[in-house]
């Protein structure tokens, strides 16, 4: 019988959901869903000092926001729990005690000062720092003496000597490590908490994880985990290590890199669509067959194949993300886009809530005017600035247009038409008719007609539909701006 596909995303609640972690979760999710397997979320919270308040909640909240669901975790349960590492300490103890009993692990009483001194001496000799095995073969008397001093031991795994560990990586092919490069490593810290490499190996086995897809920064952890598997006689999962995400200058994506927004929560706040983020992140280090770039979640599940994971670093192309989110926004229902834009307009002091029916209709018309141009919802604020200014702020091209000799004639004629329009009839139809009358009365048409009106009212020579823009400005503001231009 074929082994059930079981994959996991195992975040530490030491921070909010980062773009790199989101990609790891997505690839695991797509792999499981494509093959009819299970996707598990396990919380690796043993680094208690670095855990942050709300970190766990943030991870789950923004995975859901992206459109990811899971089969087992702290919130939905499952047959292989607990799914939070700090609730599994008694399980780990049973296994590290077994390693001690079989001589495959030992207690190390070295102090931090002794270990640091050893590292400094190795570095001075030009050696790669690693634990030398100082307490590898202590006698009972030595152990008793250290404990009498009040020393608390850690537990180290006894690394086999003269061995080479190999594994066939899903992404990178065969990778091998010589144990001469690895010193005996700590599997249980002095406070009794297991280390990452020990706990993760146990959890993956006990939760029947079949494939481990993760970032390539974990490659160096893999031989240690393989040693743990071997010590217990277990078959390891299949490993796959995804390449790094780099910025546009080909440097590793760092949380200190301010050229790229780092956290999923920030994209939500700015008004990116989760569907677009799901699509974009999936293409960071994975490519489908063909040239198609816009996919639904269901389409990505159908075509995802781990063999197409890239062997080269994935470039985070901010322009491509902007293009992709714009493509999604253009096709999104207007009401949803309005709900995304409204908080930004409120925050900027442009509108106040609660909105009455007329106010909501006005905001909807405003958003509709710019929906095709938005890269993300927060851009509604700078795009619509002309509608909230007391007076238009002229761009250089607008200043040039307004200096043309026909402008006073055109503006005066248009002002007369606007003032003659009843307030309740001021709409796109009436505006269009007014401009047509100005053309007939003055003889000016084309750019000589439209450019002065746009420049006078908006300070710009290019923009969205002129008739709609004039209606959104409102009759009173249009009259005021025209009077100002005419020096009245």
């Amino acid at each position: 019988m074929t082994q059930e596909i079981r994959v996991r995303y195992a975040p530490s609640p030491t921070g909010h959901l980062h773009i790199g972690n989101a990609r790891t979760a997505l690839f695991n999710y797509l792999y499981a869903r494509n093959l009819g397997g299970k996707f598990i979320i396990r919380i690796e919270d043993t680094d208690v000092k670095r855990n942050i308040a709300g970190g766990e909640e943030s991870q789950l909240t923004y995975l859901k926001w992206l459109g990811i669901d899971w089969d087992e975790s702290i919130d939905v349960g499952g047959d292989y729990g607990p799914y939070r590492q700090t609730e599994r300490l008694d399980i780990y103890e049973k296994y590290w005690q077994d390693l001690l009993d079989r001589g495959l692990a030992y207690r190390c009483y070295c102090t931090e000062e002794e270990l640091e001194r050893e590292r400094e001496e190795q570095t001075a000799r030009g050696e790669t720092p690693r634990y030398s095995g100082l307490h590898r073969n202590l006698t009972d008397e030595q152990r008793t003496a250290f404990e009498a001093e009040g020393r608390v031991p850690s537990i180290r795994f006894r690394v086999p000597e003269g061995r080479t560990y190999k594994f066939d990586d899903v992404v990178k092919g065969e990778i091998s490590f010589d144990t001469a490069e690895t010193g005996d490593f700590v599997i249980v810290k002095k406070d009794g908490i297991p280390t990452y490499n020990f706990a993760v190996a146990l959890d993956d086995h006990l939760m029947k994880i079949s494939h481990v897809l993760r970032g390539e920064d974990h490659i160096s952890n893999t031989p240690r985990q393989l040693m743990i598997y071997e010590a217990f006689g277990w078959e390891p999962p299949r490993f796959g290590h995804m390449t790094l995400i780099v910025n546009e200058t080909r440097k590793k994506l760092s949380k200190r890199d301010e050229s790229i927004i780092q956290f999923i929560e920030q994209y939500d706040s700015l008004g990116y669509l989760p569907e677009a983020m799901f699509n974009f992140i999936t293409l960071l280090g994975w490519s489908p067959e063909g040239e198609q770039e816009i996919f639904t979640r269901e389409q990505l599940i159908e075509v995802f194949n781990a063999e197409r994971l890239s062997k080269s670093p994935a470039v985070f192309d901010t322009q491509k993300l902007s293009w992709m989110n714009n493509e999604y926004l253009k096709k999104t229902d207007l009401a949803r886009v309005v709900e995304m834009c409204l908080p930004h307009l409120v925050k900027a002091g442009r509108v106040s809530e609660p909105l009455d029916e007329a106010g909501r209709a006005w905001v909807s018309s405003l958003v509709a005017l710019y929906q095709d141009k938005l890269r993300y919802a927060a851009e509604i604020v700078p795009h619509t600035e002309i509608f909230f200014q007391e007076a238009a702020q002229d761009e250089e091209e607008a200043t040039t247009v307004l200096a043309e000799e026909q402008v006073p004639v055109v503006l005066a004629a248009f002002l007369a038409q606007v003032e003659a329009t009843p307030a309740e009839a001021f709409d796109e139809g009436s505006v269009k008719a007014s401009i047509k009358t100005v053309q007939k009365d003055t003889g000016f048409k084309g750019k000589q007609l439209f450019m002065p009106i746009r420049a006078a009212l908006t300070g710009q020579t290019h923009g969205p539909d002129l008739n709609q823009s004039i209606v959104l400005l409102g009759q009173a503001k249009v009259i005021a701006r025209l009077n100002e231009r005419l020096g009245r």
Side-chain angles (χ1 to χ4, degrees), residues 301-430:
I301 288 172
E302 184 178 349
V303 302
F304 188 82
N305 183 340
E307 291 181 4
R308 296 191 63 84
L309 287 168
S310 175
K311 293 177 172 60
S312 303
V315 178
F316 193 104
D317 185 337
T318 54
Q319 290 186 337
K320 182 175 180 179
L321 174 57
S322 295
W323 165 80
M324 185 172 287
N325 199 59
N326 173 255
E327 288 295 307
Y328 274 86
L329 280 169
K330 286 191 291 190
K331 297 169 185 173
T332 299
D333 181 70
L334 174 62
R336 183 182 178 194
V337 181
V338 170
E339 290 306 311
M340 294 171 68
C341 290
L342 189 55
H344 299 285
L345 291 169
V346 171
K347 184 179 179 181
R350 301 292 170 78
V351 298
S352 300
E353 291 188 305
L355 289 171
D356 59 19
E357 187 176 340
R360 183 165 286 276
W362 185 85
V363 169
S364 294
S365 297
L366 183 72
V367 172
L369 197 60
Y370 288 93
Q371 182 173 355
D372 283 358
K373 292 180 173 58
L374 292 175
R375 295 178 300 170
Y376 50 91
E379 280 195 327
I380 196 65
V381 174
H383 275 316
T384 59
E385 192 171 359
I386 59 172
F387 296 97
F388 301 97
Q389 295 167 336
E390 285 301 315
Q393 305 299 310
D394 295 345
E395 295 177 349
E396 187 176 343
E397 289 183 10
T399 302
T400 302
V401 167
L402 291 170
E404 294 173 2
E405 60 180 354
Q406 87 283 8
V407 170
V409 176
V410 170
L411 296 187
F414 185 58
L415 173 59
Q417 291 296 317
V418 174
E419 288 179 325
T421 303
E424 65 276 8
F426 189 73
D427 57 19
E428 286 183 51
S430 71

Side-chain angles (χ1 to χ4, degrees), residues 214-228:
R214 56 191 180 186
E216 68 175 21
D217 51 326
H218 283 286
I219 288 179
S220 60
N221 289 321
T222 308
R224 297 183 179 192
Q225 292 164 23
L226 290 173
M227 293 177 204
I228 300 296

Side-chain angles (χ1 to χ4, degrees), residues 5 79 100 105 116 124 134-135 222 231 268 303 367 371 399 417 483:
I5 300 297
D79 295 335
L100 285 173
E116 180 59 30
L134 191 61
H135 288 184
T222 308
D268 178 26
V303 302
V367 172
Q371 182 173 355
T399 302
Q417 291 296 317
N483 276 318

Side-chain angles (χ1 to χ4, degrees), residues 53-81:
E56 186 178 287
E57 181 184 3
S58 173
Q59 291 277 337
L60 299 183
T61 296
Y62 284 98
L63 288 172
K64 289 177 183 175
W65 179 83
L66 279 170
I68 296 175
D69 59 274
W70 45 88
D71 302 291
E72 301 170 27
S73 189
I74 58 173
D75 57 339
V76 296
D79 295 335
Y80 301 94

Side-chain angles (χ1 to χ4, degrees), residues 407-421 426 434-435 438 453 457 475-488:
V407 170
V409 176
V410 170
L411 296 187
F414 185 58
L415 173 59
Q417 291 296 317
V418 174
E419 288 179 325
T421 303
F426 189 73
S434 294
I435 293 176
V438 172
I453 294 174
L457 294 176
Q475 190 176 25
K477 190 170 284 188
V478 168
I479 291 171
R481 288 188 180 183
L482 289 172
N483 276 318
E484 183 184 1
R485 296 294 188 183
L486 292 166
R488 298 180 181 177

